Amino acid sequence: MNQIKKLLIIGFVWPEPKSSAAGGRMMQLISIFKQNGFEITFASAAQDSDFMVDLSEFGVIKKSIELNSSSFDDFMAELHPDVVLFDRFMIEEQFGWRVTEKCPKAIRILDTEDLHCLRTARQKAFKENRNFEISDLLSEEVAKREIASILRCDVSLIISEFEMNILKDVFRINADLLFYLPFLVDEMKEEEFLKLPSFDERKSFVFIGNFLHEPNWNTVQYLKEAVWPLVKKDFPEAVLEVYGAYPSQKVLQLHQPKNGFYIMGRAEDANEIVKKARVVLAPIRFGAGLKGKLLEAMQCGTPSVTTSIGSEAMHSVLPWNGFVEDNPAEFAQKAIALYQDENLWKQSQKNGIEIINVCYQTSNYADSLISMVNELLKNSENHRLHNFMGNLLQHHAYKSTMYMSKWIEEKNK
């Protein structure tokens, strides 16, 4: 009889699938491991939130842990997991050395969510009013930390093929340390497609995004200042509804009903809102990874207009479910055309469904993820032997991280 394998997930935050794409991604991972017989414990040092998912409903054990505390060591020794999944590189930095010390045989997986160094470098270039260059990554402080974390782990889950290429070509990361895993959704069947609201049953443009995420706040500012005035000029009756979790006062101040610009706050059910909208607008100017809001639009049969950053690595060579435009005037014109032309809208909707079925089907990736993990469990020694740079970083970098953490723990006493 096979022994039940234990997975420990150490979360940056407790999952909020209705607040962010990251929360949805985490629940996808939990579902795959659960379906393959893993016993899952989810641990986090984050505060509970009103919108966190009830992990017990998914058969997952919830455990609150402390930063810079040897109580985590006792927890690790007692749980003794077979696999540890770190949610973002900052969590690996904080807890990785403790995992290595107490459970050296446990497989260490990093879920990057997106490349933080790419997002940070693009944001800096944007704020400095210059074009982002790939070479910017080499001098980015966050890159040094993030790449070190990737090297220390047995494998890292990478959400974007563009980011896979950066890691291999720019940072020279061995492909054996990387596993491509995009967002995962079920196949969109024709009967589901036919149940979606029709062109005539939908109204309004919509934007949706978590406002704790800087690219989303910037997108809404840009919509308000640069894009929306151009839309209203040629389409006076247009209405834009902006939804998002955790809107700050500066977001709420953009609410301007007389101009058709509505700040709606948190969406109780984002899916229902996007299904009722006719077009999603997402003129994203910096960021990384895949955009959950744009995949959600495709699932809701809602065409979108976005930028090259927004659509990056999301649709392979397939036509977009709407338009990709970086120029605000063109963006506005394409948004209006998509909203008013039913034939164009229907074709764009079909494009989105094809993208879902070709690029994001769970069945294309779930089995290979579990196979990869099982292979690592069998051959971890050989795998680690060939990751010399990772071993070197384990030897040196963890010493400094370890002593810093121990110093903080002593200071806190």
Side-chain angles (χ1 to χ4, degrees):
M1 185 175 166
N2 286 341
Q3 188 181 0
I4 293 174
K5 294 189 279 282
K6 292 182 183 178
L7 166 67
L8 169 64
I9 301 172
I10 310 178
F12 182 67
V13 292
W14 301 107
E16 291 187 26
K18 289 188 175 178
S19 300
S20 71
R25 157 81 159 189
M26 182 54 72
M27 296 313 295
Q28 289 165 10
L29 289 172
I30 285 171
S31 173
I32 292 169
F33 280 102
K34 199 73 193 163
Q35 284 169 18
N36 283 276
F38 280 77
E39 181 185 286
I40 305 174
T41 301
F42 193 105
S44 180
Q47 295 291 314
D48 284 10
S49 81
D50 294 339
F51 304 102
M52 61 192 270
V53 79
D54 183 353
L55 289 165
S56 65
E57 289 184 5
F58 298 88
V60 175
I61 301 159
K62 176 180 180 282
K63 170 73 176 174
S64 290
I65 52 176
E66 292 179 43
L67 298 171
N68 304 305
S69 171
S70 54
S71 61
F72 180 82
D73 304 345
D74 301 333
F75 163 61
M76 278 300 294
E78 186 182 343
L79 182 66
H80 211 80
D82 301 285
V83 180
V84 178
L85 189 148
F86 303 103
D87 170 24
R88 292 166 251 211
F89 81 89
M90 303 81 84
I91 292 299
E92 188 277 337
E93 282 184 329
Q94 177 66 227
F95 294 101
W97 67 270
R98 292 185 185 274
V99 170
T100 302
E101 195 174 66
K102 294 298 170 187
C103 296
K105 290 189 175 175
I107 299 305
R108 298 183 296 272
I109 300 174
L110 174 64
D111 185 28
T112 57
E113 293 289 355
D114 60 32
L115 274 188
H116 290 63
C117 60
L118 177 61
R119 177 156 32 104
T120 303
R122 277 178 168 162
Q123 190 169 334
K124 274 186 189 172
F126 172 78
K127 289 189 171 173
E128 291 165 8
N129 201 23
R130 59 179 176 82
N131 289 331
F132 164 76
E133 305 284 347
I134 287 290
S135 57
D136 291 346
L137 293 169
L138 298 172
S139 58
E140 180 53 58
E141 188 64 31
V142 174
K144 297 176 178 71
R145 293 170 54 199
E146 191 165 25
I147 299 304
S149 184
I150 287 169
L151 287 167
R152 284 192 297 260
C153 288
D154 295 308
V155 70
S156 291
L157 308 180
I158 311 300
I159 205 165
S160 153
E161 287 183 319
F162 180 76
E163 293 177 8
M164 283 285 282
N165 292 333
I166 284 176
L167 290 167
K168 289 190 277 195
D169 300 341
V170 178
F171 293 110
R172 302 284 190 260
I173 304 287
N174 187 324
D176 290 345
L177 300 180
L178 307 174
F179 186 86
Y180 173 59
L181 193 73
F183 290 128
L184 302 177
V185 297
D186 294 332
E187 181 185 2
M188 191 89 176
K189 296 192 166 67
E190 191 176 355
E191 55 266 31
E192 295 169 81
F193 171 59
L194 293 172
K195 286 180 194 168
L196 292 169
S198 68
F199 178 83
D200 288 330
E201 289 171 320
R202 296 168 180 252
K203 62 181 180 59
S204 304
F205 293 98
V206 75
F207 171 84
I208 196 157
N210 185 325
F211 286 109
L212 294 179
H213 191 53
E214 179 69 20
N216 287 335
W217 158 237
N218 180 270
T219 298
V220 172
Q221 272 184 304
Y222 183 59
L223 265 170
K224 180 74 162 52
E225 294 163 12
V227 177
W228 194 242
L230 298 171
V231 173
K232 287 294 277 185
K233 180 169 165 283
D234 288 342
F235 184 18
E237 57 269 45
V239 168
L240 172 64
E241 295 179 348
V242 175
Y243 290 86
Y246 304 106
S248 64
Q249 195 54 41
K250 61 185 180 181
V251 175
L252 297 172
Q253 284 172 351
L254 297 179
H255 185 64
Q256 198 176 31
K258 65 179 172 48
N259 199 30
F261 199 95
Y262 292 83
I263 303 293
M264 309 296 288
R266 176 182 283 273
E268 282 304 311
D269 187 336
N271 222 267
E272 281 306 303
I273 283 158
V274 178
K275 273 182 188 170
K276 289 173 183 172
R278 193 175 286 179
V279 176
V280 165
L281 301 182
I284 299 161
R285 293 192 288 178
F286 55 84
L290 302 181
K291 311 305 177 289
K293 63 178 70 60
L294 295 175
L295 180 59
E296 181 177 53
M298 295 177 208
Q299 289 178 281
C300 294
T302 312
S304 64
V305 188
T306 189
T307 56
S308 49
I309 292 276
S311 68
E312 179 179 272
M314 285 206 65
H315 58 120
S316 185
V317 294
L318 299 171
W320 187 248
N321 74 317
F323 294 102
V324 177
E325 285 293 346
D326 293 318
N327 176 281
E330 286 293 321
F331 191 102
Q333 287 305 309
K334 293 289 171 43
I336 294 167
L338 198 51
Y339 195 97
Q340 295 178 338
D341 185 332
E342 185 172 357
N343 290 330
L344 178 61
W345 188 89
K346 284 181 173 175
Q347 183 55 54
S348 298
Q349 185 185 59
K350 285 179 183 171
N351 292 349
I353 290 160
E354 187 183 8
I355 291 168
I356 287 171
N357 290 341
V358 172
C359 301
Y360 297 101
Q361 264 197 68
T362 303
S363 57
N364 291 343
Y365 299 98
D367 289 348
S368 52
L369 170 65
I370 297 301
S371 296
M372 178 270 293
V373 172
N374 287 333
E375 188 61 32
L376 280 175
L377 284 165
K378 282 194 293 188
N379 296 308
S380 61
E381 281 186 30
N382 188 51
H383 178 81
R384 289 171 178 175
L385 184 66
H386 289 90
N387 180 16
F388 182 77
M389 291 304 291
N391 291 328
L392 184 133
L393 285 166
Q394 290 275 14
H395 180 75
H396 289 290
Y398 274 175
K399 297 296 182 204
S400 59
T401 315
M402 177 176 74
Y403 288 121
M404 173 61 80
S405 186
K406 286 181 181 292
W407 178 79
I408 292 170
E409 186 176 4
E410 285 302 314
K411 186 166 163 283
N412 288 341
K413 280 178 181 177

